[in-house]
Amino acid sequence: MAVTQLSLSELNKQIKAQLDEAFPGLIWIKAEISELNINRTGHCYLELVELDEATKEVLARCRATIWSYSFRMLKPFFETTTGQAFAEGIKILVNAKVEFHPVYGLSLNIRDIDPSYTMGDMARKRREIIRQLEEDGVLDMNKELELPLVPQRIAIISSPTAAGLQDFLEQLSHNPYQIRFYTKLFPAIMQGKEAANSIMMALEQAFQYEEFFDVVVIIRGGGAQVDLASFDHYELAYHITQLPIPVITGIGHDKDETAVDLVAHTKLKTPTAVAEFLVSGAAAFEQTLDEFKNRFVDLVEEQIQTEKEYLQRTLQNFKLGVRQLVNEENNRFKLTSVKLEKSVPAFLSSKSQLLNRHRYLLEKAGTSHLSEQKHELDRQLNRLDFFTQRQFRIKRTSLEQVNEKLASQLNNLLKNQQKRLEHIEGKVRLVDPKNVLKRGYSLTFSNGQLVKSVHQLQPGDELTTQLADGKVTSKLLKQNNHGK
């Protein structure tokens, strides 16, 4: 039996002919990009693979090319449609021509890409991440943390050169309420293949200050939508769920929610929105404190006024009571005297003989009666004096307590007013003309009038310049209007 002998080039030519016959036109191929290189001429060279879903073992491998004239159109179309960078690790559906070169072997020449296939794969990956986090029972762990009433100590995870970072810091530093925030930047890469690992390292660094920081802020700001893929990462999302500090995101996108957004305590669209959230929360709390303070002051003043009115009424009632008691005793004494004066003459007239007979007994009885009346009067006066002194002591103690409260509050008010006065005096010193001159400013006079405009002067005018330590006389040679 004759053995057919072929040279390698002849074999490759036959293979090429068979492939051209088997695949005369374009075909759609599903694959994953394992390597991607763009040379200086704009041609894109790829290596496509097919992996086993369970074991990730490579089932097939093939080279592919996208010539520059096609790549210039396909790349921006793909990235704009999918919001995903055309890079290694993504799955694609391409329309390609099967080619076989006698020297370089089998390759695919890609003519078109279907972005909907990649979008479906991205959405599937995101759903798988969320489902896995739900199964792990950690999806809402960071949301369950209590956000401080006034988060002022903020750990920032961002790229140091991000424009969004500068906007965020500017808005915090120059907020209209003059609320102070402490911030510390933990630098991280916010896009590309290294972004997820870099952000996780920054989270680990912030975790070392767990007791200090109130919140962790992850901000990106600006950039292309294609960079959001870095935030659909299971390990990064899991790290956030395990962080014992509330996380706020401002990644800078309007439409899609990444896995990082879904697990964060609070998600906002932009770094500026995060700054507004922090500032407005602190301002609302400060306003509440001011309202409580004003209500407390009003209640204290109202209570003081009530106590003063009660004390005045009590003193007035006490005076009236004492005066009434004295008047009643005087009236009783006068009534007794009148009765006695009326009864004695009649008694003496009708009982003159009996009086003479019992003079000794009558004198003794009269003396005893007067003694008893005096003793009773003394006892009533002692009771009145004791009651009066006791009431005075009680009211004096209450009055002293009120005076002490008023003195303490007046003292605090005077101290606060003194501090304000010292602050105003400091401002006045800053704008004092003498101090202004010492800082290098000067005043120029012409004919005794302060010069405020070049229109007041003419060449040849004599000028007097007032400096901090003296005056200088000069003559105007030339003048420029509006800096010309």
Side-chain angles (χ1 to χ4, degrees):
M1 181 178 180
V3 178
T4 302
Q5 294 183 349
L6 298 173
S7 66
L8 183 58
S9 61
E10 291 175 335
L11 175 62
N12 283 349
K13 288 179 181 179
Q14 290 188 22
I15 294 174
K16 183 179 185 307
Q18 292 294 324
L19 287 174
D20 289 342
E21 183 180 352
F23 303 103
L26 301 175
I27 59 173
W28 288 98
I29 302 170
K30 296 183 294 183
E32 181 176 323
I33 302 175
S34 64
E35 293 183 14
L36 185 148
N37 293 293
I38 303 172
N39 71 2
R40 60 183 180 82
T41 61
H43 301 314
C44 179
Y45 297 96
L46 309 95
E47 183 174 85
L48 304 179
V49 295
E50 180 182 352
L51 302 178
D52 184 274
E53 292 292 339
T55 64
K56 300 303 179 182
E57 179 183 355
V58 177
L59 302 179
R61 188 188 305 270
C62 184
R63 293 184 300 107
T65 58
I66 308 177
W67 302 128
S68 60
Y69 60 84
S70 297
F71 190 61
R72 283 195 299 268
M73 294 183 294
L74 294 180
K75 182 177 183 293
F77 170 69
F78 176 85
E79 293 183 344
T80 302
T81 304
T82 63
Q84 165 72 50
F86 190 74
E88 299 169 355
I90 64 170
K91 291 185 177 181
I92 56 176
L93 176 62
V94 296
N95 193 227
K97 179 73 171 69
V98 179
E99 296 181 347
F100 188 86
H101 193 280
V103 177
Y104 302 109
L106 180 67
S107 67
L108 299 174
N109 180 236
I110 297 174
R111 308 291 179 82
D112 196 6
I113 302 174
D114 185 357
S116 61
Y117 175 81
T118 304
M119 292 174 63
D121 184 66
M122 291 167 54
R124 178 186 59 79
K125 286 183 178 179
R126 183 178 299 168
R127 289 194 300 270
E128 289 177 353
I129 291 172
I130 299 305
R131 184 172 61 252
Q132 185 62 50
L133 291 170
E134 289 177 340
E135 291 176 356
D136 294 341
V138 298
L139 184 64
D140 295 325
M141 285 185 65
N142 197 263
K143 289 183 174 66
E144 294 170 356
L145 298 175
E146 184 176 358
L147 191 69
L149 289 175
V150 187
Q152 291 181 277
R153 299 169 299 178
I154 304 165
I156 304 173
I157 296 178
S158 176
S159 170
T161 59
L165 173 62
Q166 301 307 316
D167 294 340
F168 176 79
L169 295 175
E170 179 74 15
Q171 193 158 349
L172 285 187
S173 301
H174 299 86
N175 67 82
Y177 310 101
Q178 298 183 344
I179 300 170
R180 292 186 178 181
F181 293 90
Y182 172 82
T183 61
K184 180 174 176 58
L185 175 65
F186 294 91
I189 300 171
M190 303 304 288
Q191 63 186 47
K193 293 187 295 184
E194 302 300 324
N197 289 332
S198 180
I199 295 172
M200 285 188 286
M201 289 179 62
L203 288 171
E204 292 292 339
Q205 293 173 0
F207 173 69
Q208 296 177 9
Y209 303 91
E210 171 191 355
E211 299 298 327
F212 179 78
F213 289 113
D214 297 323
V215 293
V216 173
V217 171
I218 301 176
I219 54 178
R220 185 178 69 100
Q225 194 78 1
V226 299
D227 299 326
L228 292 178
S230 304
F231 298 92
D232 280 324
H233 192 282
Y234 172 78
E235 292 184 8
L236 174 57
Y238 189 86
H239 262 69
I240 292 175
T241 65
Q242 300 303 300
L243 194 69
I245 310 172
V247 175
I248 302 176
T249 58
I251 299 176
H253 58 94
D254 296 329
K255 298 179 181 179
D256 297 328
E257 283 186 331
T258 65
V260 168
D261 288 319
L262 291 172
V263 299
H265 183 283
T266 302
K267 63 177 180 64
L268 297 164
K269 291 183 179 180
T270 63
T272 301
V274 175
E276 291 175 354
F277 173 77
L278 295 172
V279 171
S280 61
F285 181 77
E286 187 171 296
Q287 183 179 359
T288 301
L289 288 182
D290 289 340
E291 292 176 356
F292 280 133
K293 182 189 72 175
N294 294 334
R295 288 178 58 189
F296 177 75
V297 170
D298 292 342
L299 288 174
V300 170
E301 291 178 349
E302 182 180 346
Q303 184 65 27
I304 291 174
Q305 184 63 31
T306 301
E307 292 295 331
K308 287 174 65 177
E309 293 175 356
Y310 173 75
L311 181 60
Q312 290 173 354
R313 289 197 304 270
T314 302
L315 289 174
Q316 186 67 27
N317 292 335
F318 177 72
K319 290 178 181 179
L320 292 175
V322 171
R323 188 179 296 113
Q324 183 178 359
L325 181 61
V326 171
N327 290 335
E328 289 177 356
E329 293 298 326
N330 285 334
N331 291 335
R332 186 181 301 170
F333 181 76
K334 289 179 180 178
L335 182 60
T336 302
S337 298
V338 170
K339 288 181 179 179
L340 183 61
E341 289 176 356
K342 289 181 178 180
S343 62
V344 169
F347 181 78
L348 290 175
S349 177
S350 62
K351 302 293 182 181
S352 59
Q353 294 180 356
L354 183 61
L355 179 62
N356 291 330
R357 203 167 46 244
H358 300 286
R359 180 178 297 174
Y360 174 75
L361 295 175
L362 181 60
E363 290 178 355
K364 185 177 181 180
T367 302
S368 175
H369 179 71
L370 289 174
S371 177
E372 289 177 359
Q373 290 295 319
K374 182 179 180 181
H375 177 72
E376 177 65 19
L377 181 60
D378 290 339
R379 190 170 67 84
Q380 293 295 334
L381 289 174
N382 288 335
R383 287 180 60 195
L384 177 62
D385 183 66
F386 173 77
F387 175 76
T388 302
Q389 294 296 328
R390 182 170 177 270
Q391 290 297 319
F392 270 118
R393 284 195 300 273
I394 292 173
K395 298 306 176 181
R396 184 172 60 191
T397 300
S398 177
L399 182 59
E400 288 174 351
Q401 292 175 350
V402 173
N403 286 336
E404 288 177 359
K405 289 182 180 179
L406 290 174
S408 175
Q409 292 173 353
L410 288 173
N411 188 33
N412 291 335
L413 180 60
L414 287 174
K415 288 180 179 179
N416 291 335
Q417 294 300 323
Q418 181 66 28
K419 289 180 180 178
R420 289 186 59 191
L421 181 59
E422 291 174 356
H423 180 66
I424 293 171
E425 287 178 349
K427 289 184 176 179
V428 171
R429 284 196 296 273
L430 288 176
V431 299
D432 187 282
K434 294 180 179 179
N435 293 329
V436 173
L437 292 175
K438 290 179 181 180
R439 292 201 297 270
Y441 294 93
S442 64
L443 298 173
T444 302
F445 297 86
S446 176
N447 297 323
Q449 300 294 322
L450 179 64
V451 178
K452 298 182 180 179
S453 171
V454 296
H455 299 295
Q456 295 178 235
L457 303 175
Q458 297 293 332
D461 288 350
E462 186 175 280
L463 306 178
T464 301
T465 302
Q466 177 69 55
L467 302 173
D469 56 353
K471 297 181 179 179
V472 175
T473 302
S474 59
K475 181 172 287 185
L476 177 63
L477 299 179
K478 182 179 179 181
Q479 67 184 53
N480 292 327
N481 296 334
H482 303 292
K484 297 181 181 178

